[in-house]
Amino acid sequence: MICRIRVLCDNTAGALSGTLGEHGFAALVQAGDRALLFDTGAGHTLLHNAQRMNVDLKGVDQVVLSHGHWDHAGGLWPLLQVAGPKRILAHPGIFTRRYSVREGSARSVGVPYSEEFLAGLGAVFSYSDEFREVMPGVFLTGEVPRRTVFEEGDAGLFCDEAGCERDEIRDDQSLVVVTGKGLLILLGCCHAGMINTIEHAREKTGVDRVYGVVGGCHLAFSSQPQVDQTIKALKKYGLKKICPGHCTGFHAAARLAQAFPAGFKPMQVGYVLEAE
């Protein structure tokens, strides 16, 4: 079965004229005659880009939220208004209160709507922190165990405005596609860490080969030692595709391009990746 990933929202727009970029991420994932939306962006470009790319979001009945941040869940309101009721697959901690506290300034970064408000628009939530199949050959990681020593996460994220309770983003999860070439892993922000996520996917699927990684790697907010050790660990998998975007950061993306010259491709709005 061919799996097709089409990027609808990202920080930058690609070559397809008329599409727009925003700080956020969303991708349409199609497997056979099934389709789901992985994240919804910040809410400003999802519908516009979908129309420009001839994507009918009314035909998508499932939405997967990678985690509870505004730039991944902000498009839920316009999506539900225009495309009708949807089943929303998410971790139970998706509506945790969240703040970015940097240089003494706090900013709310959680889901910008309440569960009740979204339910009133037709959202039906399916909560689980377990690994589960969401389409044939396509799996949601559930909560990812934090086992690596060097993947420390984003030190600027908290559950309170005072910056006292660090937010570990335990609800972070990714999509795993089992292909004939190995695992293809689609990341939202990957707050759990790329290596933690890959190892969890290998363990749960029983598939050792990793074909590719696509999405936000959240290395823009990581220390230099974490970036160094992440790239070192990634090289062990023999990746054929690595397509970073969104929160990866320019410097880290350049390092990945240098480390994987044959398989590197920047992820932008309009980018399409197919695997069988």
Side-chain angles (χ1 to χ4, degrees):
M1 182 183 298
I2 296 176
C3 181
R4 190 181 197 208
I5 297 172
R6 303 178 70 186
V7 178
L8 299 180
C9 300
D10 189 62
N11 294 28
T12 58
L16 181 60
S17 64
T19 55
L20 301 172
E22 67 174 0
H23 182 82
F25 179 67
L28 181 72
V29 181
Q30 297 169 290
D33 60 353
R34 301 280 301 281
L36 63 77
L37 187 63
F38 183 65
D39 286 338
T40 65
H44 305 292
T45 67
L46 177 65
L47 300 182
H48 173 88
N49 288 343
Q51 183 181 42
R52 185 71 189 90
M53 295 167 65
N54 295 317
V55 172
D56 181 11
L57 293 175
K58 291 181 180 178
V60 177
D61 59 357
Q62 289 193 112
V63 178
V64 172
L65 291 182
S66 65
H67 63 296
H69 275 161
W70 65 277
D71 49 335
H72 296 259
L76 279 174
W77 185 2
L79 174 70
L80 293 168
Q81 283 184 308
V82 170
K86 305 292 181 188
R87 182 169 178 250
I88 314 295
L89 281 62
H91 184 283
I94 201 78
F95 288 102
T96 299
R97 291 182 64 190
R98 312 201 126 118
Y99 299 89
S100 173
V101 183
R102 305 182 193 277
E103 298 179 354
S105 178
R107 178 171 58 93
S108 175
V109 294
V111 178
Y113 322 111
S114 69
E115 180 181 6
E116 293 74 20
F117 175 77
L118 294 170
L121 294 174
V124 179
F125 288 91
S126 172
Y127 295 115
S128 177
D129 59 3
E130 298 293 326
F131 187 87
R132 52 176 164 166
E133 189 170 22
V134 293
M135 292 194 302
V138 181
F139 301 86
L140 186 56
T141 62
E143 190 169 321
V144 176
R146 315 297 172 90
R147 294 171 177 161
T148 58
V149 175
F150 58 88
E151 291 180 305
E152 300 175 342
D154 190 335
L157 299 177
F158 297 87
C159 296
D160 65 310
E161 294 178 82
C164 296
E165 182 185 353
R166 185 171 174 182
D167 188 358
E168 302 289 346
I169 323 290
R170 291 290 171 182
D171 55 317
D172 179 84
Q173 49 188 346
S174 301
L175 276 184
V176 181
V177 183
V178 179
T179 80
K181 299 177 181 178
L183 301 179
L184 177 60
I185 302 176
L186 179 61
L187 315 172
C189 262
C190 207
H191 289 279
M194 294 179 72
I195 308 307
N196 282 329
T197 299
I198 290 172
E199 285 302 309
H200 183 62
R202 294 174 74 201
E203 177 184 326
K204 288 296 184 179
T205 61
V207 178
D208 288 332
R209 291 178 62 196
V210 183
Y211 170 62
V213 179
V214 183
C217 306
H218 211 73
L219 294 174
F221 303 89
S222 300
S223 66
Q224 189 61 51
Q226 179 173 334
V227 175
D228 293 341
Q229 292 185 69
T230 296
I231 291 174
K232 181 179 179 180
L234 286 172
K235 286 185 175 181
K236 297 178 181 179
Y237 298 115
L239 298 174
K240 303 301 181 185
K241 295 282 185 181
I242 185 158
C243 311
H246 181 41
C247 54
T248 303
F250 178 81
H251 174 72
R255 291 285 310 282
L256 289 168
Q258 184 181 41
F260 301 94
F264 180 88
K265 175 73 176 180
M267 184 185 71
Q268 298 174 312
V269 174
Y271 176 69
V272 179
L273 176 61
E274 291 186 347
E276 186 173 1

